[in-house]
């Protein structure tokens, strides 16, 4: 599925994710947590498909449950005593705080998985290449390192399989020997490749003065409008956070602010911000359906 | 040739591992021995301390003799080096493993839990905790409560806070072989400045050891007091107490 939000200018992508991740990290209000968790879950599934759904259910959900169970075992504050473990009380407040922390952690991880899908390394280099050229290059190379090595190892082991030296057959000793052989080929390749990379970079004039770089990103009116919208949301949320709308008291007793006019506005702004990419995609899909049905 | 070399290396490995294992076992067994010895010694010390009430003079000599043993035993257990010592006629701290509760014999003590000092230091008190602070600062009014022979200050506090549905959190620190009270009624240590926390007082004396090592006697008066100034504001100044004795 094509994601429309990814086609916006990198500045917009980056601002959006920075804002959403930061607000998710520092919000313990259940309304904020719920909005953030649901939106990030939906967006990550939308971006990464079935695999993401599997990952979310198999890994993120157990993590949430674990956090919710572990917190009351270590934190015993709170006025509502439900029972005792050992000498210390288990309190309602502590359990709910654990649940809230679980939601917070889950949504931050999910937002990061969305970030990885949207902010590709070329976008990152485009944004930060000027400010910190060496760092951003290093960063994108390091991020590429693991998937690249994985692909190369697969290639090598397939080649070895063709000549009958594979880890999938033979005695344990033979398998180990083949594995070590593959590893040795891998290391040789990595060393050679690093020299090649360095040569290639030098040949293209890396580090010379006065070089310009090409990028296909431009800021058009659509991007400007979106940037203004996101900035407006962030300002509203920042004002709301300053007034304490994104937080809530858990200890010694649960105490939240009652949702009045401004509070509802802040909640709406957060809902809007979190579901923005999904809404864009939805709008685009509906538009496409309508247009194609007319023909 | 190659195989022989591999064999030799494996032999060396196995030898060194078995050596290490043996050394570890030796250490362990020695450690256990000293522990048992220490326990026995402290046990003797406690036994010696018990008849203090009846005959002060008689036990004094004995107590003097036994005290170094207690200190030595404590030194092994605590990294502090300083072992808690009680002034004369006050009970010495009991080691946890020596405390035996006899459920058949019932005694009574008075228990009081108060955090009145917070009322004088409201500016440094955690504002979110205002709702759990009693108006007059008394969490638990002085009351006669029963306990069983051999129980400690901690046992009584635990039972009464549970019965009264009062929140109480404690942590056991192995270094001091004792429980530490972090918070009562959701008023925790450091909630009223960085020098604040819970202290306990038995018969007007602030024991300089943990509450789960103080074995109670019939008719003792326990007070749990919240201090905002390391005990100075409730008369439990550690330095003064030391120089006074």
């Amino acid at each position: 599925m094509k994601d429309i939000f990814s086609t916006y200018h990198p500045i917009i992508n980056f601002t959006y994710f920075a804002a959403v991740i930061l607000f998710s990290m520092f919000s313990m209000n259940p309304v904020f947590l719920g909005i953030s968790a649901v939106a990030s879950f939906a967006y990550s599934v939308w971006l990464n498909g079935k695999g993401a759904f599997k990952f979310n259910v198999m890994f993120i959900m157990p993590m949430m449950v674990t956090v919710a169970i572990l917190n009351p075992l270590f934190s015993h504050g709170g006025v509502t005593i439900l029972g005792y473990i050992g000498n210390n009380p288990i309190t309602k407040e502590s359990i709910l705080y654990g649940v809230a922390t679980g939601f917070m952690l889950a949504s931050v991880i999910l937002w990061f998985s969305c970030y990885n899908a949207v902010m590709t390394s070329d976008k990152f280099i485009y944004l930060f290449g000027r400010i910190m050229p060496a760092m951003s290059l290093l960063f994108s190379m390091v991020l590429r390192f693991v998937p690249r090595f994985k692909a190369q190892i697969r290639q090598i082991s397939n080649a070895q399989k063709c000549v009958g030296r594979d880890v999938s057959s033979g005695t344990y000793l033979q398998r180990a020997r083949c594995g070590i052989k593959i590893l040795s080929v891998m290391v040789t390749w990595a060393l050679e490749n690093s020299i090649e990379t360095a040569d290639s970079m030098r040949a293209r004039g890396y580090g010379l003065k006065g070089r310009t770089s090409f990028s296909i990103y431009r800021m058009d009116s659509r991007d400007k409008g979106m940037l203004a919208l996101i900035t407006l949301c962030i300002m509203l949320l920042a004002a709301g956070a300053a007034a304490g709308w994104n937080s809530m008291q858990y200890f010694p007793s649960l105490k939240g602010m009652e949702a009045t006019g401004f509070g509802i506005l802040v909640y709406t702004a957060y809902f809007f911000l979190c579901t923005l990419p999904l809404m864009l995609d939805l709008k685009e899909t509906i538009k496409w359906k309508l247009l194609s049905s007319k023909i | 040739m190659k195989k022989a070399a591999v064999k030799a290396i494996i032999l060396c490995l196995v030898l060194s591992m078995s050596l290490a294992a043996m050394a570890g076992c030796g250490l362990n067994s020695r450690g256990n021995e000293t522990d048992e010895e220490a326990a026995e010694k402290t046990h003797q010390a406690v036994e010696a301390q018990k008849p203090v009430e009846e005959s002060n003079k008689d036990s004094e000599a004995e107590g003097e003799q036994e005290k170094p043993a207690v200190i030595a035993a404590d030194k092994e257990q605590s990294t502090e080096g300083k072992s808690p010592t009680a002034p004369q006629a006050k009970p010495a701290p009991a080691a946890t493993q020596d405390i035996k509760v006899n459920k058949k014999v019932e005694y009574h003590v008075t228990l009081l839990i108060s955090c009145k000092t917070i009322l004088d230091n409201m500016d440094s008190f955690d504002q979110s905790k205002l709702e759990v602070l009693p108006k007059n600062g008394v969490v638990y009014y002085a009351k006669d409560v029963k306990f069983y022979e051999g129980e400690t200050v901690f046992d009584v506090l635990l039972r009464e806070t549970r019965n009264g549905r009062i929140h109480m959190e404690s942590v056991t620190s192995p270094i001091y072989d004792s429980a530490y009270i972090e918070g009562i009624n959701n008023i925790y240590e450091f909630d009223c400045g960085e020098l604040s926390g819970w202290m306990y007082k038995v018969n007007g004396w602030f024991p300089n050891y943990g509450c789960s090592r103080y074995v109670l006697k019939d008719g003792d008066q326990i007070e749990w007091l919240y201090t905002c100034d390391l005990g100075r504001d409730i008369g439990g100044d550690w330095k003064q107490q030391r120089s006074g004795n």
Side-chain angles (χ1 to χ4, degrees):
Chain A
M1 242 162 278
K2 183 92 178 107
D3 179 45
I4 305 302
F5 186 66
S6 319
T7 64
Y8 281 79
H9 195 270
I11 283 187
I12 289 157
N13 293 158
F14 190 79
T15 318
Y16 175 79
F17 281 112
V20 152
I21 289 172
L22 280 178
F23 277 115
S24 303
M25 267 182 200
F26 294 110
S27 304
M28 282 304 258
N29 186 321
V31 179
F32 267 63
L33 289 171
I35 292 171
S36 179
V38 169
S40 59
F41 187 94
Y43 193 37
S44 77
V45 173
W46 174 264
L47 282 173
N48 301 326
K50 241 186 198 170
F53 184 79
K54 220 180 199 173
F55 174 80
N56 294 351
V57 173
M58 300 285 282
F59 176 73
I60 303 272
M61 284 195 175
M63 188 203 71
M64 281 166 70
V65 174
T66 315
V67 171
I69 291 171
L70 281 183
N71 190 60
L73 296 184
F74 292 100
S75 148
H76 304 283
V79 289
T80 323
I81 298 172
L82 299 178
Y84 286 90
I85 283 196
N87 289 335
N88 288 324
I90 297 293
T91 62
K92 187 180 90 183
E93 285 77 12
S94 174
I95 292 174
L96 289 177
Y97 189 79
V99 172
T101 317
F103 268 92
M104 191 264 280
L105 281 175
S107 59
V108 169
I109 292 176
L110 290 173
W111 280 125
F112 265 109
S113 78
C114 298
Y115 170 91
N116 265 335
V118 171
M119 281 295 286
T120 46
S121 63
D122 56 327
K123 287 184 185 174
F124 189 81
I125 290 206
Y126 169 74
L127 279 184
F128 294 100
R130 293 277 167 76
I131 313 165
M132 34 179 198
M135 270 306 280
S136 61
L137 181 70
L138 194 74
F139 196 67
S140 68
M141 279 171 93
V142 165
L143 286 182
R144 212 165 63 108
F145 185 79
V146 174
R148 195 167 180 217
F149 271 37
K150 257 163 86 180
Q152 188 65 25
I153 278 194
R154 191 169 303 132
Q155 207 176 332
I156 294 170
S157 73
N158 280 341
Q160 293 286 316
K161 209 184 256 172
C162 287
V163 289
R165 291 192 199 136
D166 189 48
V167 283
S168 57
S169 65
T171 63
Y172 281 110
L173 202 69
Q174 272 174 326
R175 283 183 196 200
R177 213 170 264 162
C178 293
I180 287 169
K181 186 88 185 166
I182 289 172
L183 212 67
S184 133
V185 175
M186 183 69 215
V187 170
T188 317
W189 173 84
L191 291 173
E192 193 185 335
N193 186 61
S194 69
I195 294 169
E196 262 172 20
T197 310
D199 279 349
S200 161
M201 281 165 77
R202 190 176 295 162
R204 287 168 170 82
Y206 177 75
L208 289 183
K209 253 189 181 176
R211 283 169 74 240
T212 55
S213 54
F214 169 75
S215 64
I216 55 170
Y217 307 114
R218 63 192 178 88
M219 197 75 159
D220 57 19
S221 57
R222 180 190 72 151
D223 295 313
K224 279 175 191 153
M226 184 54 68
L227 190 60
L229 200 64
I230 290 177
T231 318
L232 184 75
C233 273
I234 291 174
M235 270 154 63
L236 250 175
L237 283 169
W245 282 102
N246 68 329
S247 61
M248 185 186 149
Q249 180 187 305
Y250 282 86
F251 299 107
S253 69
L254 302 171
K255 210 179 266 175
M257 288 163 88
E258 263 177 53
T260 49
F262 184 58
I264 290 171
L265 187 68
V266 172
Y267 292 156
T268 319
Y270 195 59
F271 180 78
F272 184 73
L273 187 70
C274 285
T275 53
L276 185 64
L278 279 172
M279 286 200 291
L280 284 176
D281 287 337
L282 194 71
K283 196 191 99 189
E284 216 59 31
T285 319
I286 289 170
K287 209 184 207 173
W288 173 252
K289 285 258 167 71
L290 282 176
L291 285 175
S292 56
S293 65
K294 269 177 194 164
I295 299 166
Chain B
M1 275 294 280
K2 231 179 180 180
K3 268 190 180 166
V6 169
K7 262 187 187 170
I9 289 169
I10 288 172
L11 202 74
C12 279
L13 263 173
V14 168
L15 261 175
S16 58
M17 269 164 78
S18 59
L19 256 174
M22 269 157 74
C25 286
L27 272 178
N28 267 346
S29 63
R30 229 173 55 205
N32 285 341
E33 215 174 76
T34 44
D35 264 7
E36 270 165 36
E37 248 175 29
E40 216 171 358
K41 272 178 191 165
T42 41
H43 190 70
Q44 280 170 6
V46 171
E47 290 290 305
Q49 217 64 41
K50 262 183 186 164
V52 160
E53 286 290 289
E54 287 95 63
S55 52
N56 246 332
K57 273 186 183 170
D58 281 8
S59 63
E60 227 177 67
E62 238 181 290
E64 285 300 317
Q65 273 179 353
E66 292 294 334
K67 246 175 198 164
V70 176
I71 290 169
D74 275 323
K75 254 183 191 166
E76 272 162 20
Q77 283 167 358
S78 71
T79 53
E80 285 285 293
K82 276 178 257 162
S83 82
T85 47
Q88 287 161 355
K90 308 280 188 213
T96 312
Q97 66 264 32
D98 297 331
I99 294 170
K100 285 191 186 72
V101 177
N102 179 8
K103 286 254 179 188
K104 281 171 197 152
V105 188
E106 256 185 46
Y107 291 134
H108 288 266
V109 287
T110 44
L111 177 69
L112 164 80
I113 306 174
S114 158
C115 55
K116 273 186 179 147
T117 48
I118 295 176
L119 303 175
D120 303 327
N121 296 283
M122 285 306 273
D123 46 330
S124 49
F125 188 58
D126 184 353
Q127 292 303 303
S128 65
K129 298 282 176 87
L130 273 178
E131 54 178 303
V132 291
L133 180 69
K135 283 235 161 57
N136 57 0
V138 182
V139 175
Y140 187 96
Y141 286 94
K143 211 164 92 180
D144 221 37
V145 297
K146 68 162 195 231
F147 74 102
Y148 302 107
E149 186 182 20
E151 282 193 326
T152 61
V153 174
F154 178 68
D155 295 322
V156 170
L157 177 70
L158 189 64
R159 183 181 304 123
E160 290 313 314
T161 49
R162 275 197 192 192
N163 288 346
R165 277 281 170 189
I166 300 170
H167 165 275
M168 193 274 282
E169 179 175 353
S170 65
V171 63
T172 310
S173 40
I175 302 177
Y176 304 109
D177 187 25
S178 173
Y180 172 69
I181 307 301
E182 290 182 330
I184 303 176
N185 197 32
N186 272 298
I187 298 169
Y188 276 78
E189 48 174 343
F190 313 130
D191 271 356
C192 192
E194 61 263 41
L195 302 179
S196 60
W198 287 98
M199 289 177 81
Y200 77 107
K201 190 176 179 182
V202 183
N203 301 333
W205 177 58
F206 284 95
N208 48 6
Y209 47 85
C211 62
S212 68
R213 300 184 70 176
Y214 193 107
V215 178
L216 286 167
K217 292 190 300 295
D218 194 20
D220 276 349
Q221 287 186 319
I222 312 171
E223 286 170 59
W224 278 96
L225 303 173
Y226 194 84
T227 175
C228 301
D229 192 21
L230 274 183
R232 285 184 280 264
D233 52 351
I234 49 173
D237 186 359
W238 180 73
K239 269 187 189 160
Q240 221 171 44
Q241 226 180 29
R242 200 174 200 206
S243 59
N245 280 310

